[in-house]
PDB file of all heavy atoms in Angstrom:
ATOM      1  N   GLU Q  17     148.711 133.787  32.742  1.00 73.00           N
ATOM      2  CA  GLU Q  17     149.216 134.123  34.081  1.00 73.00           C
ATOM      3  C   GLU Q  17     149.414 135.631  34.267  1.00 73.00           C
ATOM      4  O   GLU Q  17     149.555 136.096  35.387  1.00 73.00           O
ATOM      5  CB  GLU Q  17     150.557 133.410  34.331  1.00 73.00           C
ATOM      6  CG  GLU Q  17     150.477 131.903  34.210  1.00 73.00           C
ATOM      7  CD  GLU Q  17     149.783 131.256  35.386  1.00 73.00           C
ATOM      8  OE1 GLU Q  17     149.878 131.792  36.504  1.00 73.00           O
ATOM      9  OE2 GLU Q  17     149.134 130.212  35.189  1.00 73.00           O
ATOM     10  N   SER Q  18     149.449 136.384  33.177  1.00 81.00           N
ATOM     11  CA  SER Q  18     149.773 137.804  33.270  1.00 81.00           C
ATOM     12  C   SER Q  18     148.539 138.706  33.244  1.00 81.00           C
ATOM     13  O   SER Q  18     148.636 139.863  32.875  1.00 81.00           O
ATOM     14  CB  SER Q  18     150.711 138.187  32.122  1.00 81.00           C
ATOM     15  OG  SER Q  18     150.038 138.004  30.884  1.00 81.00           O
ATOM     16  N   LEU Q  19     147.397 138.183  33.654  1.00 82.00           N
ATOM     17  CA  LEU Q  19     146.183 138.993  33.631  1.00 82.00           C
ATOM     18  C   LEU Q  19     146.255 140.124  34.655  1.00 82.00           C
ATOM     19  O   LEU Q  19     146.703 139.930  35.782  1.00 82.00           O
ATOM     20  CB  LEU Q  19     144.958 138.134  33.940  1.00 82.00           C
ATOM     21  CG  LEU Q  19     144.563 137.087  32.903  1.00 82.00           C
ATOM     22  CD1 LEU Q  19     143.378 136.272  33.398  1.00 82.00           C
ATOM     23  CD2 LEU Q  19     144.251 137.739  31.572  1.00 82.00           C
ATOM     24  N   LYS Q  20     145.791 141.301  34.241  1.00 83.00           N
ATOM     25  CA  LYS Q  20     145.669 142.430  35.154  1.00 83.00           C
ATOM     26  C   LYS Q  20     144.456 142.167  36.052  1.00 83.00           C
ATOM     27  O   LYS Q  20     143.603 141.345  35.705  1.00 83.00           O
ATOM     28  CB  LYS Q  20     145.488 143.716  34.360  1.00 83.00           C
ATOM     29  CG  LYS Q  20     146.690 144.055  33.500  1.00 83.00           C
ATOM     30  CD  LYS Q  20     146.424 145.251  32.631  1.00 83.00           C
ATOM     31  CE  LYS Q  20     147.606 145.494  31.705  1.00 83.00           C
ATOM     32  NZ  LYS Q  20     147.309 146.469  30.687  1.00 83.00           N
ATOM     33  N   PRO Q  21     144.353 142.842  37.191  1.00 80.00           N
ATOM     34  CA  PRO Q  21     143.229 142.572  38.109  1.00 80.00           C
ATOM     35  C   PRO Q  21     141.855 142.666  37.450  1.00 80.00           C
ATOM     36  O   PRO Q  21     141.005 141.804  37.665  1.00 80.00           O
ATOM     37  CB  PRO Q  21     143.403 143.629  39.204  1.00 80.00           C
ATOM     38  CG  PRO Q  21     144.868 143.914  39.221  1.00 80.00           C
ATOM     39  CD  PRO Q  21     145.303 143.793  37.783  1.00 80.00           C
ATOM     40  N   HIS Q  22     141.623 143.694  36.609  1.00 82.00           N
ATOM     41  CA  HIS Q  22     140.310 143.818  35.978  1.00 82.00           C
ATOM     42  C   HIS Q  22     140.081 142.702  34.956  1.00 82.00           C
ATOM     43  O   HIS Q  22     138.952 142.259  34.758  1.00 82.00           O
ATOM     44  CB  HIS Q  22     140.123 145.203  35.340  1.00 82.00           C
ATOM     45  CG  HIS Q  22     140.930 145.427  34.111  1.00 82.00           C
ATOM     46  ND1 HIS Q  22     142.245 145.832  34.149  1.00 82.00           N
ATOM     47  CD2 HIS Q  22     140.608 145.303  32.794  1.00 82.00           C
ATOM     48  CE1 HIS Q  22     142.696 145.958  32.917  1.00 82.00           C
ATOM     49  NE2 HIS Q  22     141.734 145.635  32.075  1.00 82.00           N
ATOM     50  N   GLU Q  23     141.145 142.229  34.314  1.00 87.00           N
ATOM     51  CA  GLU Q  23     141.013 141.116  33.362  1.00 87.00           C
ATOM     52  C   GLU Q  23     140.700 139.810  34.107  1.00 87.00           C
ATOM     53  O   GLU Q  23     139.955 138.973  33.603  1.00 87.00           O
ATOM     54  CB  GLU Q  23     142.293 140.971  32.549  1.00 87.00           C
ATOM     55  CG  GLU Q  23     142.554 142.149  31.622  1.00 87.00           C
ATOM     56  CD  GLU Q  23     143.942 142.139  31.006  1.00 87.00           C
ATOM     57  OE1 GLU Q  23     144.888 141.606  31.624  1.00 87.00           O
ATOM     58  OE2 GLU Q  23     144.078 142.675  29.891  1.00 87.00           O
ATOM     59  N   GLN Q  24     141.256 139.655  35.292  1.00 89.00           N
ATOM     60  CA  GLN Q  24     140.981 138.476  36.111  1.00 89.00           C
ATOM     61  C   GLN Q  24     139.503 138.457  36.524  1.00 89.00           C
ATOM     62  O   GLN Q  24     138.855 137.419  36.489  1.00 89.00           O
ATOM     63  CB  GLN Q  24     141.875 138.466  37.355  1.00 89.00           C
ATOM     64  CG  GLN Q  24     141.711 137.243  38.230  1.00 89.00           C
ATOM     65  CD  GLN Q  24     142.207 135.970  37.557  1.00 89.00           C
ATOM     66  OE1 GLN Q  24     143.240 135.989  36.898  1.00 89.00           O
ATOM     67  NE2 GLN Q  24     141.465 134.896  37.700  1.00 89.00           N
ATOM     68  N   VAL Q  25     138.973 139.625  36.892  1.00 91.00           N
ATOM     69  CA  VAL Q  25     137.552 139.730  37.250  1.00 91.00           C
ATOM     70  C   VAL Q  25     136.697 139.317  36.056  1.00 91.00           C
ATOM     71  O   VAL Q  25     135.760 138.520  36.187  1.00 91.00           O
ATOM     72  CB  VAL Q  25     137.194 141.165  37.716  1.00 91.00           C
ATOM     73  CG1 VAL Q  25     135.691 141.355  37.822  1.00 91.00           C
ATOM     74  CG2 VAL Q  25     137.876 141.482  39.046  1.00 91.00           C
ATOM     75  N   SER Q  26     137.016 139.842  34.885  1.00 93.00           N
ATOM     76  CA  SER Q  26     136.257 139.500  33.673  1.00 93.00           C
ATOM     77  C   SER Q  26     136.340 138.013  33.370  1.00 93.00           C
ATOM     78  O   SER Q  26     135.344 137.385  33.012  1.00 93.00           O
ATOM     79  CB  SER Q  26     136.769 140.306  32.475  1.00 93.00           C
ATOM     80  OG  SER Q  26     136.534 141.679  32.659  1.00 93.00           O
ATOM     81  N   ARG Q  27     137.522 137.428  33.532  1.00 94.00           N
ATOM     82  CA  ARG Q  27     137.714 135.999  33.289  1.00 94.00           C
ATOM     83  C   ARG Q  27     136.847 135.164  34.230  1.00 94.00           C
ATOM     84  O   ARG Q  27     136.153 134.245  33.811  1.00 94.00           O
ATOM     85  CB  ARG Q  27     139.182 135.636  33.478  1.00 94.00           C
ATOM     86  CG  ARG Q  27     139.474 134.165  33.326  1.00 94.00           C
ATOM     87  CD  ARG Q  27     140.863 133.861  33.912  1.00 94.00           C
ATOM     88  NE  ARG Q  27     140.967 132.486  34.289  1.00 94.00           N
ATOM     89  CZ  ARG Q  27     140.546 131.970  35.455  1.00 94.00           C
ATOM     90  NH1 ARG Q  27     139.979 132.715  36.358  1.00 94.00           N
ATOM     91  NH2 ARG Q  27     140.700 130.695  35.709  1.00 94.00           N
ATOM     92  N   ASP Q  28     136.864 135.500  35.511  1.00 95.00           N
ATOM     93  CA  ASP Q  28     136.081 134.749  36.492  1.00 95.00           C
ATOM     94  C   ASP Q  28     134.584 134.865  36.208  1.00 95.00           C
ATOM     95  O   ASP Q  28     133.845 133.881  36.305  1.00 95.00           O
ATOM     96  CB  ASP Q  28     136.391 135.226  37.911  1.00 95.00           C
ATOM     97  CG  ASP Q  28     137.818 134.914  38.342  1.00 95.00           C
ATOM     98  OD1 ASP Q  28     138.485 134.077  37.683  1.00 95.00           O
ATOM     99  OD2 ASP Q  28     138.279 135.532  39.326  1.00 95.00           O
ATOM    100  N   LEU Q  29     134.147 136.052  35.841  1.00 96.00           N
ATOM    101  CA  LEU Q  29     132.735 136.243  35.520  1.00 96.00           C
ATOM    102  C   LEU Q  29     132.352 135.476  34.252  1.00 96.00           C
ATOM    103  O   LEU Q  29     131.269 134.878  34.187  1.00 96.00           O
ATOM    104  CB  LEU Q  29     132.425 137.737  35.356  1.00 96.00           C
ATOM    105  CG  LEU Q  29     132.468 138.561  36.643  1.00 96.00           C
ATOM    106  CD1 LEU Q  29     132.451 140.055  36.316  1.00 96.00           C
ATOM    107  CD2 LEU Q  29     131.308 138.188  37.553  1.00 96.00           C
ATOM    108  N   ALA Q  30     133.221 135.486  33.249  1.00 97.00           N
ATOM    109  CA  ALA Q  30     132.945 134.751  32.012  1.00 97.00           C
ATOM    110  C   ALA Q  30     132.848 133.250  32.279  1.00 97.00           C
ATOM    111  O   ALA Q  30     131.987 132.563  31.708  1.00 97.00           O
ATOM    112  CB  ALA Q  30     134.017 135.046  30.964  1.00 97.00           C
ATOM    113  N   LEU Q  31     133.693 132.728  33.149  1.00 97.00           N
ATOM    114  CA  LEU Q  31     133.614 131.307  33.523  1.00 97.00           C
ATOM    115  C   LEU Q  31     132.279 131.003  34.201  1.00 97.00           C
ATOM    116  O   LEU Q  31     131.663 129.952  33.951  1.00 97.00           O
ATOM    117  CB  LEU Q  31     134.787 130.914  34.424  1.00 97.00           C
ATOM    118  CG  LEU Q  31     136.150 130.836  33.737  1.00 97.00           C
ATOM    119  CD1 LEU Q  31     137.268 130.713  34.772  1.00 97.00           C
ATOM    120  CD2 LEU Q  31     136.193 129.677  32.744  1.00 97.00           C
ATOM    121  N   ALA Q  32     131.802 131.917  35.043  1.00 97.00           N
ATOM    122  CA  ALA Q  32     130.511 131.730  35.703  1.00 97.00           C
ATOM    123  C   ALA Q  32     129.366 131.756  34.682  1.00 97.00           C
ATOM    124  O   ALA Q  32     128.414 130.978  34.782  1.00 97.00           O
ATOM    125  CB  ALA Q  32     130.303 132.799  36.774  1.00 97.00           C
ATOM    126  N   VAL Q  33     129.468 132.629  33.684  1.00 98.00           N
ATOM    127  CA  VAL Q  33     128.450 132.673  32.626  1.00 98.00           C
ATOM    128  C   VAL Q  33     128.439 131.359  31.851  1.00 98.00           C
ATOM    129  O   VAL Q  33     127.369 130.796  31.580  1.00 98.00           O
ATOM    130  CB  VAL Q  33     128.679 133.860  31.663  1.00 98.00           C
ATOM    131  CG1 VAL Q  33     127.738 133.775  30.456  1.00 98.00           C
ATOM    132  CG2 VAL Q  33     128.492 135.176  32.390  1.00 98.00           C
ATOM    133  N   LEU Q  34     129.607 130.852  31.503  1.00 98.00           N
ATOM    134  CA  LEU Q  34     129.676 129.595  30.757  1.00 98.00           C
ATOM    135  C   LEU Q  34     129.104 128.432  31.567  1.00 98.00           C
ATOM    136  O   LEU Q  34     128.472 127.533  30.994  1.00 98.00           O
ATOM    137  CB  LEU Q  34     131.108 129.302  30.322  1.00 98.00           C
ATOM    138  CG  LEU Q  34     131.667 130.224  29.249  1.00 98.00           C
ATOM    139  CD1 LEU Q  34     133.111 129.860  28.936  1.00 98.00           C
ATOM    140  CD2 LEU Q  34     130.817 130.200  27.988  1.00 98.00           C
ATOM    141  N   ALA Q  35     129.294 128.449  32.873  1.00 97.00           N
ATOM    142  CA  ALA Q  35     128.703 127.407  33.716  1.00 97.00           C
ATOM    143  C   ALA Q  35     127.177 127.496  33.667  1.00 97.00           C
ATOM    144  O   ALA Q  35     126.480 126.477  33.519  1.00 97.00           O
ATOM    145  CB  ALA Q  35     129.199 127.532  35.154  1.00 97.00           C
ATOM    146  N   ASN Q  36     126.637 128.716  33.758  1.00 98.00           N
ATOM    147  CA  ASN Q  36     125.189 128.916  33.669  1.00 98.00           C
ATOM    148  C   ASN Q  36     124.683 128.551  32.277  1.00 98.00           C
ATOM    149  O   ASN Q  36     123.648 127.910  32.123  1.00 98.00           O
ATOM    150  CB  ASN Q  36     124.846 130.364  34.020  1.00 98.00           C
ATOM    151  CG  ASN Q  36     123.406 130.556  34.427  1.00 98.00           C
ATOM    152  OD1 ASN Q  36     122.717 129.621  34.850  1.00 98.00           O
ATOM    153  ND2 ASN Q  36     122.934 131.780  34.330  1.00 98.00           N
ATOM    154  N   ASP Q  37     125.439 128.941  31.263  1.00 97.00           N
ATOM    155  CA  ASP Q  37     125.115 128.629  29.870  1.00 97.00           C
ATOM    156  C   ASP Q  37     125.026 127.108  29.673  1.00 97.00           C
ATOM    157  O   ASP Q  37     124.075 126.595  29.077  1.00 97.00           O
ATOM    158  CB  ASP Q  37     126.206 129.232  28.974  1.00 97.00           C
ATOM    159  CG  ASP Q  37     126.061 128.885  27.511  1.00 97.00           C
ATOM    160  OD1 ASP Q  37     126.401 127.745  27.127  1.00 97.00           O
ATOM    161  OD2 ASP Q  37     125.637 129.760  26.746  1.00 97.00           O
ATOM    162  N   SER Q  38     125.990 126.392  30.195  1.00 96.00           N
ATOM    163  CA  SER Q  38     126.026 124.941  30.050  1.00 96.00           C
ATOM    164  C   SER Q  38     124.853 124.284  30.784  1.00 96.00           C
ATOM    165  O   SER Q  38     124.202 123.393  30.252  1.00 96.00           O
ATOM    166  CB  SER Q  38     127.357 124.408  30.591  1.00 96.00           C
ATOM    167  OG  SER Q  38     127.384 123.008  30.542  1.00 96.00           O
ATOM    168  N   GLU Q  39     124.595 124.772  31.987  1.00 97.00           N
ATOM    169  CA  GLU Q  39     123.507 124.210  32.795  1.00 97.00           C
ATOM    170  C   GLU Q  39     122.145 124.416  32.139  1.00 97.00           C
ATOM    171  O   GLU Q  39     121.286 123.542  32.178  1.00 97.00           O
ATOM    172  CB  GLU Q  39     123.518 124.879  34.170  1.00 97.00           C
ATOM    173  CG  GLU Q  39     122.428 124.404  35.102  1.00 97.00           C
ATOM    174  CD  GLU Q  39     122.449 125.164  36.410  1.00 97.00           C
ATOM    175  OE1 GLU Q  39     123.544 125.414  36.946  1.00 97.00           O
ATOM    176  OE2 GLU Q  39     121.351 125.528  36.890  1.00 97.00           O
ATOM    177  N   LYS Q  40     121.978 125.566  31.478  1.00 97.00           N
ATOM    178  CA  LYS Q  40     120.662 125.917  30.928  1.00 97.00           C
ATOM    179  C   LYS Q  40     120.561 125.717  29.418  1.00 97.00           C
ATOM    180  O   LYS Q  40     119.501 125.915  28.841  1.00 97.00           O
ATOM    181  CB  LYS Q  40     120.328 127.339  31.325  1.00 97.00           C
ATOM    182  CG  LYS Q  40     120.243 127.443  32.857  1.00 97.00           C
ATOM    183  CD  LYS Q  40     119.634 128.706  33.326  1.00 97.00           C
ATOM    184  CE  LYS Q  40     119.373 128.612  34.811  1.00 97.00           C
ATOM    185  NZ  LYS Q  40     120.335 129.300  35.626  1.00 97.00           N
TER     186      LYS Q  40
END
């Protein structure tokens, strides 16, 4: 819950990568 704004961006992008990773 204590992520800084730039860490939140990285987290959201990493989740998107994992979704693509799983799909492919």
Side-chain angles (χ1 to χ4, degrees):
E17 302 286 329
S18 64
L19 292 177
K20 296 174 185 169
H22 72 276
E23 293 169 331
Q24 183 68 41
V25 169
S26 295
R27 177 196 156 276
D28 294 344
L29 290 168
L31 288 169
V33 172
L34 290 178
N36 200 22
D37 175 283
S38 176
E39 179 183 318
K40 298 193 170 102

